[in-house]
Structures are given as C-alpha cells and as structure tokens.
C-alpha cells in the first residue's frame, strides 16, 4: 500500500472552512473538504467520461441515473433510483429520466401504478463505452498508486456509514 502523506502540523488541517475545523473534530473538517473536492472531480469526470463515450450534454446526475438504471439490467422506479442514490428531490430524477428517454438511453413502462424504466440497447452501449474509457483513463491510473483494494472497500464502507450520520444530522437540524 502507498505511504500515507504526513500532515503538516505547523499549518493545521487542510480544510475549506477553518472556523469549522476549530471545533471538536478538526479531522471531520478535513474529510468534508476532501469530499467536496472528490465530489466535484467525480462529477466532472462522469460528464467528460460520458461525453468521450459519445453522449454529450449530460449532467453528473444524468450519468449516475443512467448507470443506476443499467445496473443488473432490472427495471427501476423513481423511488428505487432515489433510494439507491440517496436523493431526496425526486423531481430531479424524474426530469433526468425524461431527458434520458428523449435521448433514447432509457425506456419507460408501467409496473402496477408506478412508472418504471429500463436501459435501452443504446443506453447499455453508452455505459459499456464509458466503462472502457474508465478502465483506460481512471482505473489504470488509480491502480498505479498501489492502493490496497480491500482498504479502498473499507473506505467506501466508512463513507457510506458517514452518509448515514449526515442524514441523521440533517433530520435533526430540521427540527431545531
């Protein structure tokens, strides 16, 4: 595994809001700043990666939803997609699905009273082209870092657990 960079204790934690890092857990502020940077970089990658795969003009949410719909080739409802992606504003997913359907990347039908969507052959092909580009441009570069994949999986589990704490804190903030 690659060496962990040492923290420069003379300048303090690397954060975007020093006033938050002065609280009871400066490391959480470091994680939040890293999440902000990673989220922006990941969003930029998804948009540009899908454009390189031949589907230009999609937002990061559009790309996420397309990959979610394509996952395991099963039909999904808006509620399914929102639950998996932890999206509260269902209208954003509804708008995205309409856009993806207009582009011929997903198709819709009824599952009982609910609208359900599935990836089309064109949408599946776009996802596979994206995967090929991802393997060449991203996976190979990340592998060259020598990171332990088990450690990366533990990090992913930690981030999912932290998301639960942020959700709970958001629910509590509403009641203040």
């Amino acid at each position: 595994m690659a060496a962990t960079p040492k923290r420069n204790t003379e300048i303090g934690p690397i954060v975007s809001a020093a006033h938050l890092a002065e609280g009871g857990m400066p490391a959480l502020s470091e994680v939040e700043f890293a999440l902000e940077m990673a989220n922006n970089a990941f969003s930029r990658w998804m948009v540009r990666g899908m454009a390189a795969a031949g589907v230009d003009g999609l937002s990061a949410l559009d790309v996420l939803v397309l990959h979610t719909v394509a996952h395991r080739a099963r039909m999904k409802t808006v509620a399914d997609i929102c639950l998996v992606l932890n999206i509260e504003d269902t209208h954003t997913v509804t708008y995205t699905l309409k856009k993806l359907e207009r582009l011929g990347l997903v198709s819709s039908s009824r599952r009982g009273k609910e609208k359900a969507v599935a990836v089309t052959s064109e949408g599946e092909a776009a996802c596979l082209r994206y995967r090929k580009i991802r393997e060449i441009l991203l996976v190979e570069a990340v592998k060259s870092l020598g990171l332990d994949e088990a450690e990366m999986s533990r990090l992913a589990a930690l981030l999912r657990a932290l998301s639960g704490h942020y959700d709970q804190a958001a629910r509590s903030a509403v009641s203040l």
Side-chain angles (χ1 to χ4, degrees), residues 106-169:
V106 302
S107 63
S108 65
S109 62
R110 300 305 266 171
R111 185 196 292 168
K113 294 181 179 182
E114 291 185 284
K115 179 180 177 179
V117 293
V119 69
T120 62
S121 58
E122 187 177 335
E124 183 179 7
C127 289
L128 293 175
R129 289 190 307 271
Y130 176 98
R131 181 180 74 188
K132 183 177 182 181
I133 292 165
R134 179 179 177 269
E135 288 291 322
I136 294 167
L137 299 179
L138 188 62
V139 173
E140 287 183 17
V142 172
K143 277 188 165 188
S144 74
L145 295 173
L147 301 172
D148 177 16
E149 287 191 46
E151 188 61 31
M152 288 185 70
S153 289
R154 283 189 289 277
L155 174 60
L158 173 62
L159 291 172
R160 288 189 302 272
L162 279 173
S163 76
H165 289 284
Y166 279 101
D167 277 340
Q168 180 57 48

Side-chain angles (χ1 to χ4, degrees), residues 21-47:
E22 292 168 358
M25 193 174 192
L28 185 59
S29 294
E30 286 184 282
V31 169
E32 290 169 346
F33 184 46
L35 285 171
E36 291 168 21
M37 292 175 55
N39 179 57
N40 290 330
F42 181 54
S43 294
R44 193 168 34 255
W45 152 250
M46 286 187 292
V47 168

Side-chain angles (χ1 to χ4, degrees), residues 16 24 36 46 59 66 68 72 76 78-79 96 104 106 126 137 152:
S16 63
E36 291 168 21
M46 286 187 292
S59 69
L66 177 59
T68 301
R72 301 198 181 174
K76 316 270 186 326
V78 172
T96 284
V106 302
L137 299 179
M152 288 185 70

